[in-house]
Amino acid sequence: PFDINDCVLDFQKVSEDSKEKSNVDILLAAVKKDHVLQKIKAVEEAGLTVKAVDVDILAITNAFLRNFPAQDSTKTFALLDVGASCTDVSILKGGVPAFFRQISVGSNECNAAIAKRMGVSPEEAETLKVSPGEKAQEVADCTKTVLNGLIDEIKLSFGYYENQSGGGIDEVYLGGGGAAIPGLDMAFQETLGSKPHYWDPFGFLDATQIPGGLSLDEKAKNTFGVAVGLALR
C-alpha cells in the first residue's frame, strides 16, 4: 500500500519447482523506512549497535523451529503470540512458514475489561490479570468477551489458510505476555475443541551451562519468544 521507495524490502526463497524453474515461492518482508530508522535511532542512542532488524513473528518462528527442529512434514502448526496491543499468528507447514497475520487485539483489552467491570485502576487490573488468586473465575468472566473476539479472529485466519491450502491446523502453540490470561485456554477448548500447547523458548538451552542457571519461572519464560528469536540471528 506504500511507495516502494519509502520501504525497506528483504526476501528469502522458500521453495522452487523442480520442473518449472520460473515458479519460485518467496517470503517477502517489507516495512516503511521511517519505522525502521526510528527503532535504529533509539538503539543507537542507548549506546548499542544494530546488527539486524527483524519482524516479531519471524523471530518467534525462528525460536520455535530451534526448539522443535524435527518438524513432521505432514503436520501444520500454528504459533500464536499474544502481546499487549496485538496478537501475531504464524502457520507452519512442515517447518516452512505458510501464513502470517497480526490481529489488533491483545492483553490491554483484557485489562480494560477487568478495570471497567471490577471498578479497579489499570494498574490493579494488570495485577489481577497476571495473578488473580482466588478471583480467577471473576477475572475470567471479565475477559471472556475479549478472548472470544480474539479467538474468532484466529478462527478466521485458520479458515483462510485452510481454504487456500486445502489442509487444516493440527496443533496450536501459545506464547507471549498475554498467554497466561485466565480463561484463555478454556476459551480455546470451547471454541476450537482443543487447548493450545504452551512452549518454552529457552527449551533448547542447557541450563547447566549458563552461569547462575536460568532463574525464570515458567510463566515468564513464555514471554521471551521474540527476544530468543532475535538472539538466534
Side-chain angles (χ1 to χ4, degrees):
F2 309 112
D3 188 322
I4 195 170
N5 295 314
D6 294 333
C7 297
V8 180
L9 304 175
D10 199 1
F11 72 93
Q12 178 68 46
K13 185 168 71 172
V14 176
S15 65
E16 182 175 354
D17 192 319
S18 59
K19 296 181 180 179
E20 183 58 57
K21 294 297 184 181
S22 62
N23 187 5
V24 180
D25 290 332
I26 66 167
L27 175 66
L28 175 69
V31 63
K32 294 191 75 175
K33 287 180 181 177
D34 290 347
H35 186 68
V36 173
L37 295 176
Q38 182 184 42
K39 303 292 186 184
I40 291 174
K41 182 181 178 182
V43 173
E44 291 179 341
E45 288 181 349
L48 303 171
T49 301
V50 175
K51 300 293 288 288
V53 178
D54 207 347
V55 181
D56 281 5
I57 192 59
L58 291 180
I60 293 165
T61 300
N62 284 332
F64 179 82
L65 292 174
R66 183 60 179 270
N67 281 280
F68 302 95
Q71 293 286 307
D72 185 336
S73 62
T74 66
K75 285 191 173 184
T76 300
F77 300 92
L79 308 182
L80 307 176
D81 193 77
V82 185
S85 59
C86 63
T87 297
D88 289 318
V89 181
S90 173
I91 296 178
L92 307 175
K93 174 68 174 178
V96 178
F99 175 87
F100 292 124
R101 184 191 175 197
Q102 187 173 83
I103 300 170
S104 57
V105 178
S107 61
N108 283 348
E109 280 80 2
C110 290
N111 288 6
I114 294 169
K116 181 178 180 180
R117 183 163 172 175
M118 299 181 69
V120 298
S121 68
E123 294 76 17
E124 291 172 313
E126 172 68 19
T127 301
L128 284 168
K129 181 188 70 179
V130 176
S131 304
E134 59 187 26
K135 294 184 177 180
Q137 186 57 54
E138 188 177 357
V139 171
D141 291 341
C142 293
T143 60
K144 186 172 183 178
T145 299
V146 175
L147 297 182
N148 286 342
L150 172 60
I151 293 177
D152 283 345
E153 288 297 321
I154 292 170
K155 285 176 62 180
L156 285 174
S157 298
F158 289 179
Y160 176 83
Y161 170 78
E162 290 167 3
N163 288 334
Q164 295 294 311
S165 67
I169 308 297
D170 295 300
E171 295 182 23
V172 177
Y173 286 82
L174 188 62
I181 296 173
L184 181 56
D185 55 352
M186 289 307 301
F188 267 93
Q189 178 73 53
E190 293 172 4
T191 309
L192 299 178
S194 62
K195 291 184 179 180
H197 303 285
Y198 293 87
W199 65 289
D200 177 9
F202 297 103
F204 70 96
L205 293 174
D206 182 355
T208 63
Q209 301 298 313
I210 302 173
L214 192 61
S215 56
L216 291 170
D217 63 33
E218 293 305 313
K219 287 184 179 180
K221 287 180 181 179
N222 205 244
T223 67
F224 279 85
V226 173
V228 171
L230 288 172
L232 288 172
R233 287 289 297 267

